[in-house]
Amino acid sequence: MFSFSVTGLCEDWRQELEQIKENEAEALIKAQKKEAVYQDSSGWIDTQEWADDAHLSRLEEIAETVRKEADAFVLIGVGGSNNAARSVIEALKSDGAPEIIYAGNTLSPHALNQMLESLKGKEFYIDCIAKNFETLEPGSSFRILRKALKEKYGDQAYRHIITTGTKGSAFEKLSMEQGYTFLEFPEDIGGRFTAMSNVGLLPMAVAGIDIRALVKGASDMEALVRKAGPSENPAYEYAAFRNLNYRHGHKIEMLSSFEPQLRYFYYWWTQLFAESEGKDGKGIFPVTGEFSEQLHSIGQYIQDGEDMMFETFVTAEVQKDSLVIEADDVFDGFDYLNGKDFFDINRAALEATMEAHAAKFPVGRISIDCLDAYHFGQLFYFFQFACYLSCSIMGVNPFDQPGVEAYKVRMFERLGK
Ligand code: PA5
């Protein structure tokens, strides 16, 4: 199950939404066909291009070796090179898999020392993932982790090193020279769109995630959104909904849910939209709401603060977990909960929050069955395709990120690069 619906729209806005869908239909048609202008960034559009059976089998084979030999697996990568994998691993990890440790996403000596400390006494492998092997965070972490491996495994250290880089790059050359296991980072996919490739899938496979189910979810979503017309296409509806809000001054979108399991998925989603859409002086600023906790911090502002946001909820509709509150002989004022299941309590909080927020601004709802590998696959593809459409409607290139160079130039100058 997958659906996108909207509440809190007045009649005028509803009509305007229909108007946007009618006027911008060309953007949908172009994306469905793959636009020639984005040829060098659209490798993710055909899920099978980088996640067919041959790719998955190879990844499963490597993952099996790592799972057999390692207590820990270090994913070295930043931004699009780690967000997709981390979002699924942290949501779905189970016992029995190597511990997944993240590096290459910080320059803090405190955090890096902690990371090295956590590896002490453990058998471990590393996977350094970098499309452009000049990125400071992964490059510097790779150095210190190579040293740690050398100290532990001596001349066999290379066996514990996997690298994921582009074909023909200096990174590939170095990997070949050193005897590392080299995986291809698709040249025709930008980091934040790489969930269904070696970049996202190897770490997930090591963590015991069913990557075939994940890819199936993405493929099924691809089949839907690449075929459906403007009136029955959930990705297009969502993209139009975003642009409707933007045109009315709602320049912040909050992605919310009542499942803390989505915490790192929020990181992925935030990057996808911020880096793809925030350019040329335009773009919706993405923020996230981890409820019910944050209702007690930002909830006040959401309900009563400035009128500049709209919200999209992700909801899991099918009950998978149960925890019933039993009657208690201590009078604590919570007897109204006796016999109730947390599933229903959480749902009551969700429905109440959506209703309260929809009284103030438009609220979207993405409904899925549950948070499993299949539905994560659906969510990845849905948001990627919708992001592409949303950027096209807004008139920006979804696949570049020129703005991030500004700090890099200054930083490299300070570091004497
Ligand atoms: O989406 C993107 O392209 C970026 O966020 C990159 O993934 C990120 O900057 C890391 O780049 P690299 O893989 O080259 O180290």
Side-chain angles (χ1 to χ4, degrees), residues 120-150:
K120 290 238 166 87
K122 290 178 186 155
E123 304 299 324
F124 68 99
Y125 273 71
I126 66 175
D127 179 12
C128 182
I129 307 175
K131 184 165 190 180
N132 166 12
F133 188 54
E134 289 182 12
T135 311
L136 179 59
E137 292 87 345
S140 54
S141 279
F142 189 33
R143 268 229 185 159
I144 57 173
L145 281 155
R146 285 201 313 268
K147 179 165 176 273
L149 282 169
K150 189 104 186 132

Short mmCIF file of all heavy atoms in Angstrom, two decimals, residues 120-150:
data_model
loop_
_atom_site.label_atom_id
_atom_site.label_comp_id
_atom_site.label_asym_id
_atom_site.label_seq_id
_atom_site.Cartn_x
_atom_site.Cartn_y
_atom_site.Cartn_z
N LYS A 120 38.15 -0.94 19.03
CA LYS A 120 39.19 -1.69 19.76
C LYS A 120 38.71 -3.11 20.09
O LYS A 120 37.60 -3.31 20.58
CB LYS A 120 39.55 -0.96 21.06
CG LYS A 120 40.30 0.33 20.83
CD LYS A 120 41.67 0.34 21.52
CE LYS A 120 42.55 1.46 21.03
NZ LYS A 120 42.35 2.71 21.75
N GLY A 121 39.56 -4.08 19.77
CA GLY A 121 39.25 -5.48 20.09
C GLY A 121 38.28 -6.12 19.12
O GLY A 121 37.91 -7.28 19.29
N LYS A 122 37.85 -5.38 18.09
CA LYS A 122 36.88 -5.94 17.15
C LYS A 122 37.55 -6.27 15.81
O LYS A 122 38.45 -5.56 15.37
CB LYS A 122 35.75 -4.95 16.90
CG LYS A 122 34.85 -4.77 18.11
CD LYS A 122 33.77 -3.74 17.85
CE LYS A 122 33.01 -3.51 19.14
NZ LYS A 122 32.39 -2.21 19.20
N GLU A 123 37.05 -7.33 15.19
CA GLU A 123 37.43 -7.61 13.81
C GLU A 123 36.60 -6.67 12.95
O GLU A 123 35.38 -6.57 13.15
CB GLU A 123 37.09 -9.06 13.43
CG GLU A 123 37.71 -10.12 14.34
CD GLU A 123 39.24 -10.08 14.32
OE1 GLU A 123 39.82 -9.80 13.25
OE2 GLU A 123 39.84 -10.29 15.39
N PHE A 124 37.23 -5.97 12.01
CA PHE A 124 36.41 -5.05 11.22
C PHE A 124 36.85 -4.88 9.77
O PHE A 124 37.99 -5.17 9.41
CB PHE A 124 36.29 -3.68 11.92
CG PHE A 124 37.57 -2.88 11.98
CD1 PHE A 124 37.81 -1.86 11.05
CD2 PHE A 124 38.52 -3.12 12.96
CE1 PHE A 124 38.97 -1.09 11.11
CE2 PHE A 124 39.69 -2.36 13.02
CZ PHE A 124 39.92 -1.35 12.09
N TYR A 125 35.88 -4.46 8.98
CA TYR A 125 36.09 -4.10 7.58
C TYR A 125 35.70 -2.63 7.42
O TYR A 125 34.91 -2.11 8.21
CB TYR A 125 35.15 -4.91 6.66
CG TYR A 125 35.69 -6.25 6.24
CD1 TYR A 125 35.81 -7.30 7.14
CD2 TYR A 125 36.06 -6.49 4.91
CE1 TYR A 125 36.28 -8.54 6.74
CE2 TYR A 125 36.54 -7.72 4.50
CZ TYR A 125 36.65 -8.75 5.42
OH TYR A 125 37.12 -9.97 5.01
N ILE A 126 36.22 -2.01 6.37
CA ILE A 126 35.77 -0.66 6.07
C ILE A 126 35.34 -0.56 4.61
O ILE A 126 35.81 -1.33 3.77
CB ILE A 126 36.87 0.41 6.35
CG1 ILE A 126 38.06 0.25 5.39
CG2 ILE A 126 37.35 0.34 7.80
CD1 ILE A 126 39.11 1.35 5.54
N ASP A 127 34.41 0.35 4.34
CA ASP A 127 34.01 0.65 2.97
C ASP A 127 34.10 2.16 2.81
O ASP A 127 33.33 2.90 3.45
CB ASP A 127 32.57 0.16 2.72
CG ASP A 127 32.09 0.47 1.29
OD1 ASP A 127 32.92 0.84 0.44
OD2 ASP A 127 30.87 0.33 1.05
N CYS A 128 35.05 2.61 2.02
CA CYS A 128 35.18 4.06 1.80
C CYS A 128 34.42 4.42 0.52
O CYS A 128 34.76 3.93 -0.56
CB CYS A 128 36.65 4.48 1.69
SG CYS A 128 36.81 6.27 1.48
N ILE A 129 33.39 5.23 0.67
CA ILE A 129 32.52 5.56 -0.46
C ILE A 129 32.69 7.04 -0.81
O ILE A 129 32.44 7.92 0.01
CB ILE A 129 31.04 5.30 -0.09
CG1 ILE A 129 30.87 3.88 0.45
CG2 ILE A 129 30.14 5.55 -1.29
CD1 ILE A 129 29.47 3.56 0.95
N ALA A 130 33.14 7.32 -2.02
CA ALA A 130 33.31 8.71 -2.42
C ALA A 130 33.25 8.82 -3.94
O ALA A 130 34.01 8.15 -4.65
CB ALA A 130 34.64 9.26 -1.92
N LYS A 131 32.32 9.64 -4.41
CA LYS A 131 32.26 9.85 -5.86
C LYS A 131 33.43 10.71 -6.29
O LYS A 131 34.12 10.42 -7.24
CB LYS A 131 30.93 10.51 -6.24
CG LYS A 131 30.77 10.66 -7.73
CD LYS A 131 29.37 10.96 -8.15
CE LYS A 131 29.23 10.85 -9.67
NZ LYS A 131 27.89 11.13 -10.13
N ASN A 132 33.59 11.80 -5.54
CA ASN A 132 34.71 12.68 -5.80
C ASN A 132 35.69 12.47 -4.64
O ASN A 132 35.45 12.94 -3.54
CB ASN A 132 34.19 14.12 -5.83
CG ASN A 132 35.30 15.14 -5.76
OD1 ASN A 132 36.47 14.80 -5.90
ND2 ASN A 132 34.94 16.38 -5.51
N PHE A 133 36.75 11.77 -4.88
CA PHE A 133 37.64 11.39 -3.78
C PHE A 133 38.49 12.55 -3.26
O PHE A 133 39.56 12.38 -2.73
CB PHE A 133 38.52 10.20 -4.23
CG PHE A 133 39.33 9.60 -3.12
CD1 PHE A 133 38.71 9.18 -1.94
CD2 PHE A 133 40.69 9.46 -3.22
CE1 PHE A 133 39.45 8.64 -0.91
CE2 PHE A 133 41.45 8.91 -2.19
CZ PHE A 133 40.82 8.51 -1.03
N GLU A 134 37.93 13.77 -3.42
CA GLU A 134 38.62 14.93 -2.83
C GLU A 134 37.89 15.41 -1.59
O GLU A 134 38.33 16.35 -0.93
CB GLU A 134 38.69 16.06 -3.85
CG GLU A 134 39.66 15.76 -4.97
CD GLU A 134 39.76 16.90 -5.95
OE1 GLU A 134 39.27 18.01 -5.66
OE2 GLU A 134 40.33 16.67 -7.03
N THR A 135 36.74 14.80 -1.30
CA THR A 135 35.95 15.26 -0.15
C THR A 135 36.75 15.03 1.13
O THR A 135 37.27 13.93 1.37
CB THR A 135 34.59 14.53 -0.11
OG1 THR A 135 34.00 14.60 -1.41
CG2 THR A 135 33.66 15.16 0.91
N LEU A 136 36.86 16.09 1.92
CA LEU A 136 37.76 16.09 3.07
C LEU A 136 37.39 15.04 4.15
O LEU A 136 38.25 14.32 4.65
CB LEU A 136 37.77 17.50 3.69
CG LEU A 136 38.63 17.73 4.91
CD1 LEU A 136 40.08 17.43 4.62
CD2 LEU A 136 38.49 19.20 5.36
N GLU A 137 36.10 14.98 4.50
CA GLU A 137 35.71 14.11 5.62
C GLU A 137 36.01 12.64 5.34
O GLU A 137 36.72 11.99 6.12
CB GLU A 137 34.23 14.30 5.97
CG GLU A 137 33.88 15.66 6.58
CD GLU A 137 33.58 16.71 5.51
OE1 GLU A 137 33.90 16.50 4.34
OE2 GLU A 137 33.02 17.76 5.89
N PRO A 138 35.50 12.07 4.23
CA PRO A 138 35.82 10.65 3.99
C PRO A 138 37.31 10.42 3.73
O PRO A 138 37.88 9.43 4.23
CB PRO A 138 34.98 10.27 2.76
CG PRO A 138 34.48 11.54 2.19
CD PRO A 138 34.52 12.58 3.26
N GLY A 139 37.95 11.35 2.99
CA GLY A 139 39.37 11.16 2.68
C GLY A 139 40.21 11.09 3.94
O GLY A 139 41.09 10.23 4.09
N SER A 140 39.94 12.00 4.90
CA SER A 140 40.75 12.02 6.13
C SER A 140 40.43 10.83 7.03
O SER A 140 41.32 10.25 7.66
CB SER A 140 40.55 13.36 6.86
OG SER A 140 39.18 13.60 7.09
N SER A 141 39.16 10.44 7.08
CA SER A 141 38.81 9.26 7.90
C SER A 141 39.42 7.99 7.31
O SER A 141 39.83 7.08 8.04
CB SER A 141 37.29 9.08 7.96
OG SER A 141 36.73 9.94 8.91
N PHE A 142 39.44 7.92 5.98
CA PHE A 142 40.01 6.75 5.32
C PHE A 142 41.47 6.56 5.74
O PHE A 142 41.92 5.44 6.01
CB PHE A 142 39.89 6.94 3.80
CG PHE A 142 40.23 5.73 2.97
CD1 PHE A 142 39.97 4.43 3.41
CD2 PHE A 142 40.79 5.88 1.70
CE1 PHE A 142 40.27 3.32 2.62
CE2 PHE A 142 41.10 4.78 0.91
CZ PHE A 142 40.84 3.49 1.37
N ARG A 143 42.19 7.68 5.83
CA ARG A 143 43.60 7.60 6.27
C ARG A 143 43.74 6.98 7.65
O ARG A 143 44.51 6.05 7.86
CB ARG A 143 44.18 9.00 6.34
CG ARG A 143 44.84 9.41 5.10
CD ARG A 143 46.20 9.96 5.43
NE ARG A 143 46.76 10.47 4.20
CZ ARG A 143 47.73 11.35 4.15
NH1 ARG A 143 48.23 11.85 5.25
NH2 ARG A 143 48.20 11.72 2.99
N ILE A 144 42.96 7.52 8.60
CA ILE A 144 43.17 7.03 9.98
C ILE A 144 42.67 5.60 10.12
O ILE A 144 43.23 4.82 10.90
CB ILE A 144 42.54 7.96 11.04
CG1 ILE A 144 41.05 8.15 10.81
CG2 ILE A 144 43.24 9.32 11.09
CD1 ILE A 144 40.37 8.91 11.94
N LEU A 145 41.68 5.23 9.33
CA LEU A 145 41.19 3.85 9.42
C LEU A 145 42.13 2.87 8.72
O LEU A 145 42.29 1.72 9.16
CB LEU A 145 39.76 3.76 8.88
CG LEU A 145 38.76 4.27 9.92
CD1 LEU A 145 37.48 4.76 9.28
CD2 LEU A 145 38.46 3.19 10.97
N ARG A 146 42.76 3.31 7.66
CA ARG A 146 43.78 2.45 7.02
C ARG A 146 44.91 2.17 8.01
O ARG A 146 45.41 1.05 8.11
CB ARG A 146 44.35 3.11 5.76
CG ARG A 146 43.43 3.08 4.58
CD ARG A 146 44.18 3.27 3.26
NE ARG A 146 45.14 4.35 3.23
CZ ARG A 146 44.88 5.60 2.84
NH1 ARG A 146 43.68 5.93 2.45
NH2 ARG A 146 45.83 6.51 2.82
N LYS A 147 45.27 3.21 8.75
CA LYS A 147 46.35 3.05 9.74
C LYS A 147 45.91 2.04 10.82
O LYS A 147 46.68 1.14 11.20
CB LYS A 147 46.67 4.42 10.37
CG LYS A 147 47.74 4.38 11.41
CD LYS A 147 48.24 5.80 11.71
CE LYS A 147 49.27 5.79 12.84
NZ LYS A 147 48.66 5.89 14.16
N ALA A 148 44.67 2.19 11.26
CA ALA A 148 44.16 1.27 12.30
C ALA A 148 44.14 -0.17 11.78
O ALA A 148 44.48 -1.12 12.50
CB ALA A 148 42.76 1.70 12.73
N LEU A 149 43.77 -0.33 10.51
CA LEU A 149 43.75 -1.67 9.93
C LEU A 149 45.16 -2.24 9.80
O LEU A 149 45.40 -3.43 10.05
CB LEU A 149 43.08 -1.64 8.55
CG LEU A 149 41.56 -1.57 8.53
CD1 LEU A 149 41.05 -1.28 7.12
CD2 LEU A 149 40.93 -2.88 9.03
N LYS A 150 46.08 -1.41 9.40
CA LYS A 150 47.47 -1.83 9.23
C LYS A 150 48.03 -2.31 10.58
O LYS A 150 48.70 -3.35 10.66
CB LYS A 150 48.27 -0.63 8.70
CG LYS A 150 49.66 -0.94 8.27
CD LYS A 150 49.75 -0.98 6.75
CE LYS A 150 51.14 -1.45 6.38
NZ LYS A 150 51.29 -2.46 5.43
#
